[in-house]
Amino acid sequence: MDLALLRTFVTVHRAGSFTRAAALLGLSQPAVTSQIRTLERQLGRPLFLRQARGVTPTSIGDELAHKAAPHLDALVEIAESGLDDDSSLRTLHLAGPPEFTAERALPALVELTGEDGQGFALRASFGNAEETLEGLAAGHHDLAICTARPRGALLTATTLCDEEHVLVAAPRWAEQVGLGTLRDKGALALENLPVVEVHESLPFASRYWASVFDSRPAASGTVIVPDLRAVLACAVAGAGLAVLPRYLCAAALERGDVVALHDPPVPPLRTYFLVVRTGTLAMPHIARAHEWLQHAASEWC
């Protein structure tokens, strides 16, 4: 069986679309369609069901993907390692949210980037959960950290850790609101406070309000910046209240740069997952990074 046909097939299976697969492979859509038809003729069975938006694998298509994908990934890994100047040093491609990856994952993994015979080179990229999982499925990453558990059997997810969210603001806002007033009035005491967030939809504040106050935030975003580290900096500067992961604002809380406005009995949590393509934990450098991050995460919580 032609390996090029299998590579195209696995890419279509992961992308869920001939169009997206063509873009990933650098081929035209007719070329991808032709290769899939050729493979279907060779097998005598349909591999995909064509739908209005993308394709869905048949049972034989799923079975073939689960058998072929890990081996194709291993061949790609062999080819890529053979191109390195130092063939003993593999490269781990990591993807995840910028703040968590920068503050948590990368400092832990740099300990493994030596030349001790088991070390690896490290390449990191940032993105949201959807972008990260799509890139992992397409073979652009080896290991992904994300806040969404993937569906299907091509990706395998392991719970990494839970992240506690804290409602914070500069001390002057805490004085203006009054922590006693907040305990009595709840979300009503916060209605007129400006909000610092990562997006106009206020994802962190909305999740906090829904979990703690069983409502939605009444205010709109005053400052919108697409990085939680920038959100913290703006909150310290007095721009407004913000909902932040505790690990990110712990030092600022300890210094008194910001104050926790609320201490709910059950704080909102967000779960992070370590995700790999199924079968790739057989590769030593991916398995070592996966295990190392799990060990590090046990000390983060």
Side-chain angles (χ1 to χ4, degrees):
M1 188 176 294
D2 191 337
L3 287 180
L5 297 182
L6 279 178
R7 178 170 178 262
T8 298
F9 160 72
V10 169
T11 304
V12 172
H13 190 277
R14 287 171 170 168
S17 160
F18 285 178
T19 302
R20 288 195 294 272
L24 292 169
L25 292 166
L27 300 173
S28 67
Q29 183 175 334
V32 169
T33 301
S34 176
Q35 289 188 23
I36 295 300
R37 286 176 176 169
T38 298
L39 187 57
E40 288 177 329
R41 284 197 299 270
Q42 290 179 2
L43 296 172
R45 301 282 294 277
L47 297 172
F48 296 103
L49 300 176
R50 280 66 168 178
Q51 298 179 334
R53 300 180 65 178
V55 293
T56 301
T58 62
S59 59
I60 190 67
D62 269 334
E63 183 180 352
L64 178 61
H66 299 159
K67 290 180 177 179
H71 300 290
L72 285 171
D73 290 335
L75 288 173
V76 170
E77 179 69 17
I78 292 170
E80 289 180 350
S81 64
L83 295 175
D84 292 339
D85 292 334
D86 180 2
S87 60
S88 66
L89 194 63
R90 292 173 178 254
T91 299
L92 178 81
H93 295 270
L94 174 73
E99 305 88 358
F100 188 89
T101 305
E103 300 291 330
R104 290 298 207 193
L106 289 176
L109 286 176
V110 292
E111 297 182 44
L112 302 181
T113 57
E115 297 183 1
D116 60 355
Q118 292 183 311
F120 49 73
L122 182 60
R123 302 290 183 269
S125 59
F126 300 144
N128 60 36
E130 182 180 358
E131 294 167 342
T132 297
L133 291 178
E134 285 184 356
L136 179 65
H140 300 315
H141 317 308
D142 300 314
L143 182 62
I145 301 170
C146 68
T147 55
R149 185 187 288 274
R151 297 178 179 178
L154 277 183
L155 300 179
T156 300
T158 304
T159 300
L160 181 61
C161 65
D162 290 326
E163 168 186 272
E164 179 187 345
H165 287 178
V166 188
L167 178 62
V168 302
R172 71 180 182 90
W173 288 113
E175 294 171 4
Q176 179 176 322
V177 173
L179 299 184
T181 303
L182 180 56
R183 283 192 294 270
D184 295 335
K185 294 187 176 181
L188 292 176
L190 304 172
E191 281 189 351
N192 298 318
L193 267 67
V195 178
V196 187
E197 259 283 9
V198 295
H199 191 270
E200 296 287 354
S201 63
L202 310 185
F204 283 83
S206 295
R207 190 181 301 114
Y208 190 97
W209 257 245
S211 175
V212 174
F213 302 124
D214 195 24
S215 65
R216 294 182 58 83
S220 59
T222 298
V223 177
I224 303 295
V225 284
D227 189 296
L228 289 172
R229 291 162 294 190
V231 170
L232 174 59
C234 292
V236 168
L241 64 82
V243 175
L244 291 167
R246 183 172 289 279
Y247 79 84
L248 195 61
C249 62
L253 285 166
E254 186 175 348
R255 291 191 302 265
D257 295 338
V258 291
V259 176
L261 297 180
H262 196 224
D263 185 21
V266 182
L269 300 175
R270 184 169 67 163
T271 301
Y272 282 95
F273 299 95
L274 271 181
V275 190
V276 296
R277 290 187 301 281
T278 300
T280 57
L281 284 179
M283 300 179 185
H285 69 304
I286 298 178
R288 191 177 185 209
H290 190 276
E291 181 180 2
W292 194 268
L293 283 175
Q294 286 184 289
H295 174 74
S298 66
E299 301 178 0
W300 298 338
C301 302

